[in-house]
Amino acid sequence: MNGNNISGFGKLSLGLGFTFLYAPILILIIYSFNASKLVSVWAGFSLHWYGELFRDDAVISSFGLSLKIALFSSAMSVVLGTIAGLVLARFGPFKGKSLFAGMITAPMVMPEVIVGLSMLLLFVQMQQWLGFPAERGVLTIWIGHVTLCMAYVTVVIRSRLVEMDRSVEEAAMDLGARPLKIFFLITLPIIAPAIASGFLLAFTLSLDDLVITAFLSGPGSTTLPQLIFSRVRLGLNPEINALATITVLAVATLVIVANRVMVKAEQRRARLAAAG
Amino acid sequence: MPRGRSLVTAIPYGWLLLFFLVPFLFVLQISFSEVEIASPPYRALIERTEDVLNIALNIGNYSYIFSDPLYFDAYLNSLYMALVTTLTCLVVGYPIAYTIARAPEAKRNTLLMLVMLPFWTSFLVRVYAWMGILDNEGLLNKALMALGLIDAPLQLMHTQLSVQIVMVYAYLPFMILPLFSNLVKLDGRLLEAAADLGCKPWKTFLKVTLPLSKNGVIAGSMLVFIPAVGEFVIPELVGTPESLMIGKVLWMEFFDNNNWPMAASVTIVMLALLILPIIYLHKREEKALARAAQR
């Protein structure tokens, strides 16, 4: 349409939209440096609540647990999600494919209370029949997170595989390369950026999950979102502001850096394609 | 399918069958059970005493759901809240998605990332951020009083309105993203042609842009509506105890009342409400992917 510029109406809607999206987060960050114990009364700049936060053993240990679970969950969901994406994009029609594709879509939109409760009931039955898993805890949370996160990873990988130019793969096939070799030497490097963003997405989803975790956790396995939730339920708490600020800044930095790297990689590929 | 491929397929397929689909059978089973003081707190449906096999299907939970207005009101309220959230997200999100889709390509990626960034940061933190704003002693009330618009603080927190605001805030990116990916494909020449033929901008929007973006509108609306029906965290933190949402009822039955069979029945009814929208959304997404693959 109108070349390089955003219209007045466009500027207005973006301005209002981004104010709505970012004002609450900015206010939260500003008030994390508040000296007062009352969250809404400004009493001067202070790092007091950050100090409190780092001395809070419950926060530190639940954060450690959350990181551990997020790391293992995202690793597993990347493996399962890449396979599932490949199956859906490349294996052609097979019996039960639409059920499979349906089981990928459903966990992403299904209310989390439903997913959490149903998984819990499965584990309870399994324990009665098989004696495994012996108790709710890290293992059951991990299974829950993997099931949720692999769906997201699959969607990312699948759409990359569908968009991707297949000529190199076809050339390799014509030259007699075996499917497994083609996958590891050609397909995998091409979809590597999608795998990386799938991993990042899975990691942040797992790190943030509250509802599924609440159903699947046992005594002694309190994750960071569970701890935040139990404190926030009692009302505003300046220590949580400090914690929230750190999370927001860490995630924002990670996402912006990853986005930069991926855009650069994309540009390089486009240049190479144009040159070749 | 060749053997190797079958084996590879079996790994994620088996995982999802076992951990996603099969659990619903247990939910269904336990929804027909009775609560019992035991561990786990429900009675098995099939019992064998001596040589008699007893199968007891208890439909009491379901008749209770349909007779007690608490549940009915909670379902109705959830559907209503999800609908209002969806429509508000559509009205707020459409101009944003449209502007980003029409923006110069160099800026598009940055703008899109700015929309996505809050989605990546913690959901819980974003809900919490609003608690400080909507509180009686909070910033919004302070600002309104400082401006002289009100004399006494308004009750904003723990109302239906506060739930609405925070739900729109939390779900907005799910509306903008599918709308954007639909609108970005819209052929600008169609809009130019309409303008050349003397069509007014708002008429072009109603006659050309909106009908062509139907798929994006439907996808975005479903992505917001379906999870919003079962939302628990937002009504729990900023909602009111007078108008419950069904996600919270399920949570209370399970965690507070320890009534697993009732929680299971509530889940089954919620699934029955949501299964058609989920299947519909899925069918549309598959069609869109098939079209993308052909191109």
Side-chain angles (χ1 to χ4, degrees):
Chain A
M1 222 167 55
N2 44 12
N4 312 322
N5 273 316
I6 299 174
S7 67
F9 173 75
K11 277 184 185 136
L12 182 71
S13 52
L14 283 188
L16 290 177
F18 286 138
T19 309
F20 178 58
L21 283 177
Y22 283 94
I25 297 175
L26 283 179
I27 291 170
L28 181 91
I29 293 175
I30 294 168
Y31 275 83
S32 74
F33 298 108
N34 188 1
S36 165
K37 196 175 165 52
L38 292 166
V39 174
S40 50
V41 179
W42 183 256
F45 180 87
S46 154
L47 288 173
H48 174 75
W49 301 110
Y50 288 86
E52 292 282 299
L53 186 67
F54 290 122
R55 279 190 297 273
D56 193 329
D57 290 334
V59 168
I60 305 292
S61 71
S62 63
F63 180 59
L65 182 70
S66 280
L67 271 186
K68 194 170 88 184
I69 293 174
L71 199 64
F72 285 114
S73 303
S74 45
M76 187 64 180
S77 28
V78 160
V79 173
L80 290 176
T82 306
I83 298 175
L86 198 71
V87 168
L88 287 171
R90 291 293 156 81
F91 281 14
F94 61 90
K95 213 175 158 210
K97 184 178 181 179
S98 78
L99 175 68
F100 183 51
M103 289 193 297
I104 297 288
T105 318
M108 291 189 291
V109 284
M110 189 88 72
E112 278 195 277
V113 279
I114 298 183
V115 181
L117 178 75
S118 58
M119 278 197 151
L120 169 80
L121 295 180
L122 169 84
F123 290 135
V124 169
Q125 281 293 342
M126 278 173 69
Q127 201 212 342
Q128 281 187 312
W129 290 344
L130 312 168
F132 175 85
E135 53 170 21
R136 281 178 265 160
V138 176
L139 179 69
T140 49
I141 298 173
W142 176 74
I143 294 174
H145 287 194
V146 170
T147 310
L148 176 74
C149 298
M150 75 174 277
Y152 284 86
V153 178
T154 306
V155 169
V156 173
I157 304 277
R158 183 190 187 182
S159 62
R160 183 76 193 97
L161 282 170
V162 167
E163 286 165 10
M164 161 188 159
D165 182 6
R166 297 191 62 182
S167 54
V168 187
E169 282 180 349
E170 278 156 8
M173 222 175 318
D174 289 344
L175 293 170
R178 301 192 46 84
L180 214 59
K181 197 169 180 185
I182 296 178
F183 175 73
F184 281 107
L185 288 183
I186 297 166
T187 319
L188 205 59
I190 293 180
I191 63 169
I195 293 180
S197 56
F199 182 89
L200 203 60
L201 187 58
F203 189 82
T204 50
L205 278 169
S206 166
L207 200 61
D208 191 35
D209 182 78
L210 168 70
V211 176
I212 294 179
T213 313
F215 281 97
L216 301 180
S217 72
S221 56
T222 306
T223 63
L224 188 62
Q226 280 180 289
L227 184 83
I228 296 177
F229 183 63
S230 66
R231 295 205 183 162
V232 161
R233 252 176 159 175
L234 304 174
L236 298 165
N237 175 341
E239 207 183 301
I240 299 294
N241 280 38
L243 180 60
T245 301
I246 296 176
T247 347
V248 167
L249 294 182
V251 172
T253 315
L254 196 69
V255 172
I256 290 171
V257 168
N259 187 58
R260 272 283 164 83
V261 171
M262 269 176 249
V263 169
K264 283 255 167 67
E266 195 75 32
Q267 282 169 346
R268 201 165 45 233
R269 222 187 24 237
R271 264 205 305 276
L272 280 176
Chain B
M1 200 155 53
R3 242 179 80 88
R5 287 192 164 187
S6 304
L7 283 175
V8 168
T9 309
I11 303 166
Y13 209 131
W15 180 285
L16 286 173
L17 275 180
L18 177 60
F19 295 120
F20 186 71
L21 200 64
V22 169
F24 291 116
L25 299 178
F26 291 116
V27 180
L28 190 65
Q29 184 204 334
I30 289 161
S31 76
F32 287 110
S33 166
E34 265 176 287
V35 68
E36 200 174 61
I37 300 175
S39 171
Y42 55 85
R43 181 176 298 170
L45 291 190
I46 303 170
E47 266 171 320
R48 240 183 72 178
T49 44
E50 311 270 310
D51 288 331
V52 186
L53 193 68
N54 277 318
I55 302 176
L57 280 186
N58 165 39
I59 57 164
N61 301 317
Y62 289 101
S63 53
Y64 198 63
I65 288 180
F66 290 110
S67 62
D68 189 332
L70 174 110
Y71 299 100
F72 186 76
D73 291 350
Y75 280 112
L76 210 62
N77 187 40
S78 303
L79 290 174
Y80 167 76
M81 296 299 264
L83 189 69
V84 176
T85 304
T86 308
L87 292 177
T88 316
C89 280
L90 190 59
V91 172
V92 176
Y94 202 105
I96 300 175
Y98 182 85
T99 310
I100 299 177
R102 300 276 111 197
E105 242 182 295
K107 288 180 192 161
R108 231 182 259 160
N109 182 47
T110 312
L111 290 173
L112 203 60
M113 203 188 64
L114 281 173
V115 170
M116 285 302 286
L117 207 51
F119 165 79
W120 288 84
T121 62
S122 166
F123 174 82
L124 202 53
V125 162
R126 282 180 290 144
V127 179
Y128 174 72
W130 277 96
M131 292 172 70
I133 298 174
L134 297 169
D135 199 64
N136 275 4
E137 307 274 301
L139 289 164
L140 196 56
N141 265 320
K142 288 231 164 103
L144 289 174
M145 278 170 46
L147 289 170
L149 292 171
I150 51 170
D151 300 322
L154 298 171
Q155 177 67 40
L156 296 167
M157 189 65 162
H158 301 303
T159 60
Q160 292 276 80
L161 179 69
S162 57
V163 178
Q164 273 307 296
I165 294 173
V166 181
M167 278 180 63
V168 170
Y169 183 72
Y171 286 101
L172 192 58
F174 293 99
M175 180 65 86
I176 295 180
L177 229 62
L179 273 178
F180 165 79
S181 42
N182 180 284
L183 285 166
V184 81
K185 280 181 278 180
L186 185 78
D187 192 343
R189 285 174 304 181
L190 290 173
L191 305 181
E192 277 165 28
D196 289 347
L197 293 169
C199 195
K200 293 217 169 60
W202 62 269
K203 212 170 171 189
T204 310
F205 174 74
L206 284 181
K207 296 248 167 191
V208 183
T209 315
L210 198 58
L212 283 175
S213 62
K214 196 184 85 191
N215 285 335
V217 170
I218 293 174
S221 302
M222 296 271 179
L223 285 180
V224 172
F225 182 81
I226 300 167
V229 170
E231 177 58 44
F232 161 72
V233 177
I234 296 171
E236 169 69 16
L237 291 180
V238 304
T240 138
E242 284 92 61
S243 38
L244 289 172
M245 281 180 72
I246 200 62
K248 193 174 164 180
V249 172
L250 190 163
W251 183 282
M252 280 163 27
E253 292 291 1
F254 183 83
F255 285 101
D256 304 340
N257 304 344
N258 214 21
N259 191 340
W260 293 19
M262 201 64 208
S265 309
V266 168
T267 306
I268 292 293
V269 176
M270 204 194 316
L271 263 178
L273 285 173
L274 294 179
I275 196 75
L276 284 180
I278 291 176
I279 290 174
Y280 182 68
L281 171 76
H282 173 63
K283 289 260 148 74
R284 290 193 82 97
E285 304 278 285
E286 288 299 309
K287 261 193 216 148
L289 263 169
R291 270 201 302 275
Q294 269 163 17
R295 237 182 283 126

